Amino acid sequence: GHPFVALDVLDLDAVRRALEGHDAVIHLAAIDDAIEAPQKAYFETNVEGTFNVLQAAHELGITRAAIASSTSALGLGDDKPDYMPRYYPIDESHPLTPHDAYSLSKQVNEVVARSFALRGVTRIACLRPTLIVRHEVVAEVDNIAKLDSGDPAGDPDFDVSKVAEPFGEALPLQRSYVMPEDVARCFRLALEADNPPPLDIFIVAARDTIGQIDSLAHIERQLGSLAEVRKPDLYEADPTASLLDSSHAREALGWQAEGAWADVVAKYGG
């Protein structure tokens, strides 16, 4: 029952027309890093698209916006050993060291958002979801996690035709994840927040890891060392706790992901 308008996010006039009459906007339009594209295309589309959405919102007096950033902006990964996490759990204050066009576009989008927020018209929330695991790929992701951990329950001959759309990519270094319904709820809460600051940034991740592994032991094995642990009590209480810290979203928005990985597999992994 909602109207749909197809447009090019790089067309400012089209974006402006689409946003007329609205008082809030959720901006998700971008080239995702799971899509094969030239580096130049990631940057141009993602950054200019965000500028156009926020420019149109500013011109039209739209007071609330929530835009999709990403934990990719952190620039952390096992393919870049010089860019290691400084501490755990990783929060919104962690330095950003992006090393490809997609990750860089997400960092620059946050800079663009800050510029518009300073203009005093639109209050902007930048959400940094980690890997969003769609329902139809839970079985495959869980099997990849088991094989990666040497779990004898993992099936090396797993039939990917069992899932509607093969996952087809490596697990995040931190084994972090979040479910789409939890991300959607976080976007809604960001728009509904009571008197938010002009700009706010939120890491959006489930409370545990894919496969519910021992988080600190896993990352130490992967990287060969362990950075400072700033919340040791968190991992003493739950060794599977996420290496990404979503406590700011909990405290500012009343958001946290529902359930744990075992619940996700039980519900969607059959």
Side-chain angles (χ1 to χ4, degrees):
H2 297 286
F4 174 79
V5 179
L7 59 85
D8 183 349
V9 76
L10 301 184
D11 183 342
L12 176 57
D13 290 336
V15 173
R16 188 186 296 112
R17 288 192 298 271
L19 295 186
E20 287 180 359
H22 296 279
D23 56 10
V25 58
I26 292 175
H27 171 46
L28 304 174
I31 300 178
D32 186 75
D33 62 345
I35 297 172
E36 291 289 337
Q39 293 286 290
K40 187 171 183 285
Y42 284 125
F43 191 83
E44 287 182 343
T45 302
N46 295 359
V47 174
E48 186 177 347
T50 296
F51 175 88
N52 285 346
V53 169
L54 295 180
Q55 178 66 30
H58 177 78
E59 293 175 7
L60 296 169
I62 293 175
T63 58
R64 294 292 184 94
I67 72 171
S69 183
S70 169
T71 53
S72 294
L74 292 162
L76 305 175
D78 53 1
D79 58 334
K80 287 288 181 181
D82 294 335
Y83 297 83
M84 294 299 181
R86 308 287 180 84
Y87 56 83
Y88 300 107
I90 300 164
D91 59 16
E92 293 81 2
S93 297
H94 194 283
L96 306 183
T97 56
H99 49 79
D100 59 33
Y102 175 78
S103 302
L104 179 61
S105 75
K106 293 302 182 178
Q107 180 187 25
V108 174
N109 280 350
E110 293 181 4
V111 176
V112 171
R114 186 177 301 279
S115 173
F116 278 99
L118 291 173
R119 304 180 193 190
V121 174
T122 310
R123 295 175 184 264
I124 304 169
C126 298
L127 275 60
R128 294 179 184 168
T130 186
L131 173 69
I132 300 173
V133 178
R134 299 182 304 280
H135 300 165
E136 63 268 24
V137 300
V138 166
E140 184 172 359
V141 172
D142 188 53
N143 191 62
I144 292 171
K146 288 174 179 174
L147 293 174
D148 187 60
S149 300
D151 186 335
D155 180 5
D157 299 318
F158 181 77
D159 183 3
V160 296
S161 66
K162 294 177 182 177
V163 293
E165 182 182 347
F167 185 64
E169 58 182 279
L171 298 178
L173 178 67
Q174 291 84 18
R175 285 285 194 95
S176 55
Y177 75 99
V178 67
M179 299 306 292
E181 56 270 32
D182 288 323
V183 179
R185 185 163 45 85
C186 195
F187 270 96
R188 178 177 58 79
L189 290 171
L191 290 183
E192 295 175 348
D194 184 28
N195 195 31
L199 178 76
D200 216 342
I201 298 173
F202 301 98
I203 285 179
V204 183
R207 289 172 283 171
D208 65 342
T209 55
I210 294 172
Q212 295 187 302
I213 56 172
D214 185 314
S215 306
L216 296 179
H218 163 77
I219 203 68
E220 186 171 14
R221 283 195 303 271
Q222 293 294 313
L223 300 180
S225 62
L226 185 63
E228 174 190 1
V229 179
R230 292 188 173 179
K231 295 184 177 180
D233 293 349
L234 173 67
Y235 299 101
E236 289 171 6
D238 179 9
T240 73
S242 177
L243 295 168
L244 298 181
D245 189 349
S246 299
S247 60
H248 180 48
R250 183 180 68 248
E251 294 161 1
L253 304 177
W255 177 89
Q256 65 178 6
E258 296 180 352
W261 183 250
D263 303 311
V264 171
V265 173
K267 188 171 184 179
Y268 300 112

